[in-house]
Structures are given as structure tokens and as C-alpha cells.
Amino acid sequence: MNLIQSNQCFQGEQRIYSIASNALKTTSRFGIFLPAQALAGQACPALFYLAGLTCTEETFAIKAHAQRVAAQLGMILISPDTSPRGDEVAKGDHWDIGQGAGFYINATQAPWAEHFQMESFVADELYALITQEFPVARNQIGIFGHSMGGHGALTLALKYPEKFKSVSAFAPICAPSQCPWGEKAFSAYLGTDKATWLAHDATALIEAKGAVFNEILIDQGLQDQFYSQLNPALFSQACAKVGQALTLREHTGYDHGYYFIQSFIDDHLSFHAQQLNA
């Protein structure tokens, strides 16, 4: 683990690290905000944030404006890159497949399978590294994300509830097996057997697993230019069917970008603080 950059921020530090990843078979980077409490060695609650298509480990740290409230709450924020990177890693021929578009799943198809093991990277390798190397309160770890990362947050939380105690999302891809983004990515990464896709689909997972969390929070802009890809209604219906408490807030005038995230980031951090302390 090599420190690439460190900047003082609200009496804490915003850092970027690089690591040689066994899961991804390449060097990867992640961002981490350490509040003053963590720098002093105090065990702190932690949130993993999964970013969306085309983003990197820096996007959330720069654009979300989350550090101020995280500092007040004494909360560690972790933001991995969205895919493996490097000259040896398959790139794809469009912005929504390949590098920058890992979808937080483990690919099984060539040429992606060798490096695109993002589920294992986040839920196993990076999770273990963070809990070993930083003062994280082990029973107070949550996950949230945006768009593709919202899909990742929901699915990883549902798959690993023993690791993630809370979950929320901004404009998540709620049913990727039923939208063009998901169909394109899953066909490439997982193959054409659609039955295998359901293990990576939040709507299908909630229907299969039932109620898992005390509450799930989702914020969605109604002027989101990608609304037709996101299907929050399908996820809401699945939650209602199995009795999973869901707060789905739909906001007039807001689109898909980080101005939307900035507007409600404080609510999400407070939501996680409450859930993690419950």
C-alpha cells in the first residue's frame, strides 16, 4: 500500500493510495478520508462509496463534498476505483464497458475475467485491507454508491450483510438485467445465460433474500437523463413484496450528476450514522 497523495481536510486527511491487487491482477487505487478521530487512533464507523460509470477513486472525494459532515460524525469514507486499469487490462470499445465500467461484479467471460473481479476486490480484498490498516469499528461498516455504484452498493450489501450493516444509494441501476446498460455489461462480463445475471441484480436479490436491513435509503432525481435505465419502481415493488423497509425519495428538478449528490449527501451520511449506531 503506497501513499500517493494526502491533503488536510476538515482537521482530517483525504488520501489516495495505490495497491498491488491480487483480485484484479494489476495496480489499483482507492481514496480514503480519515477524520481527526481516526488520525488519533480512535475506532470509527466507515462507509464504502462506489462511484458510477467513467469515475475514478478521486471523483467522490472531489465532487461529493462529503468530508465536512463525515468529519463531524467521525466517519471514515473509502472510495475505490470503478474498474481495473492498465495497459494489460482489456479496455472495451465504449464508455459503458471495460475500464471505468467494472459494474462491481466478477467477470467470467474473456477477455474480462482475468482482471475484472471487482466484487472480490471490494468485498474481500479492499475490505480486509481497510479493516486491518485503519482504525475501523468492525461492526459499523456501511456501503453506498451512485448509478453503477448504487447498483454495486445494493447488490454487495445484499450479498454480504455480515460485512455491511447499512446501505443507501443515489440513482442506482436497480434492475440491471432489465435495462440496456446492464444487458450490455452482463452479456460481456457474464455471458448470455440470463439466469446468472440475477445474482448481480438488486431487484432479483431482494426478492430472493427477503428483508435484510432495518431500512434502505434511495434518492432519485426526476429529471435524471438516465431515469429509464434505473427502474427504482421495480426495486420498490420488490421491497414491498418481501417487507423490506425502503425510503425512496424522488426529487423534482434534479438530474443524474454530482450537484444532485451534493444536495443530499449529508442526509445519507446521517442515515448511515444512525443505522450503524443502532
Side-chain angles (χ1 to χ4, degrees):
M1 188 172 70
N2 297 312
L3 180 63
I4 302 299
Q5 182 177 332
S6 180
N7 299 95
Q8 186 168 335
C9 185
F10 294 104
Q11 289 74 53
E13 290 184 18
Q14 178 67 52
R15 299 178 182 176
I16 301 290
Y17 285 94
S18 69
I19 58 170
S21 169
N22 292 323
L24 305 180
K25 297 182 181 178
T26 187
T27 299
S28 189
R29 292 188 175 195
F30 67 91
I32 185 166
F33 173 70
L34 298 168
Q37 295 92 325
L39 295 178
Q42 178 181 329
C44 296
L47 273 181
F48 283 75
Y49 175 87
L50 306 184
L53 288 161
T54 75
C55 293
T56 73
E57 74 286 347
E58 289 187 302
T59 308
F60 174 75
I62 294 170
K63 291 187 174 183
H65 300 178
Q67 293 93 339
R68 178 181 61 84
V69 171
Q72 294 172 0
L73 295 170
M75 183 175 286
I76 296 171
L77 304 175
I78 305 104
S79 54
D81 199 355
T82 51
S83 78
R85 307 273 182 178
D87 293 338
E88 74 281 10
V89 176
K91 291 180 171 58
D93 57 3
H94 202 250
W95 64 275
D96 57 0
I97 194 78
Q99 294 191 33
F103 270 82
Y104 306 101
I105 63 176
N106 288 342
T108 60
Q109 305 297 304
W112 313 105
E114 182 177 4
H115 297 285
F116 280 72
Q117 302 294 306
M118 286 298 294
E119 178 177 337
S120 292
F121 174 67
V122 173
D124 295 327
E125 187 174 25
L126 185 59
Y127 187 98
L129 179 71
I130 294 297
T131 54
Q132 290 166 9
E133 298 294 332
F134 300 97
V136 171
R138 296 292 185 95
N139 64 341
Q140 293 183 293
I141 301 174
I143 190 168
F144 68 147
H146 170 232
S147 192
M148 176 186 72
H151 139 76
L154 292 172
T155 56
L156 295 185
L158 291 167
K159 289 184 184 184
Y160 304 98
E162 74 282 3
K163 294 185 175 182
F164 301 109
K165 189 178 177 182
S166 61
V167 60
S168 72
F170 297 93
I173 306 172
C174 291
S177 63
Q178 300 182 58
C179 75
W181 270 345
E183 290 171 354
K184 181 177 182 178
F186 286 5
S187 294
Y189 296 146
L190 301 173
T192 57
D193 180 3
K194 293 189 177 183
T196 66
W197 298 5
L198 300 182
H200 311 282
D201 183 302
T203 298
L205 282 169
I206 203 73
E207 290 179 344
K209 292 179 175 291
V212 178
F213 295 94
N214 291 333
E215 185 180 359
I216 297 172
L217 171 64
I218 292 177
D219 276 300
Q220 175 64 61
L222 290 177
Q223 273 57 58
D224 190 318
Q225 60 269 46
F226 302 112
Y227 189 88
S228 64
Q229 299 253 34
L230 305 177
N231 291 312
L234 293 180
F235 187 73
S236 179
Q237 292 163 13
C239 286
K241 181 179 178 182
V242 301
Q244 170 61 61
L246 169 69
T247 298
L248 171 60
R249 308 191 305 182
E250 296 186 308
H251 305 279
T252 301
Y254 287 92
D255 61 18
H256 196 71
Y258 269 82
Y259 294 120
F260 160 60
I261 294 174
Q262 290 171 21
S263 300
F264 303 104
I265 189 68
D266 293 0
D267 292 349
H268 282 249
L269 297 182
S270 296
F271 167 81
H272 284 277
Q274 181 179 23
Q275 296 296 315
L276 295 176
N277 286 313

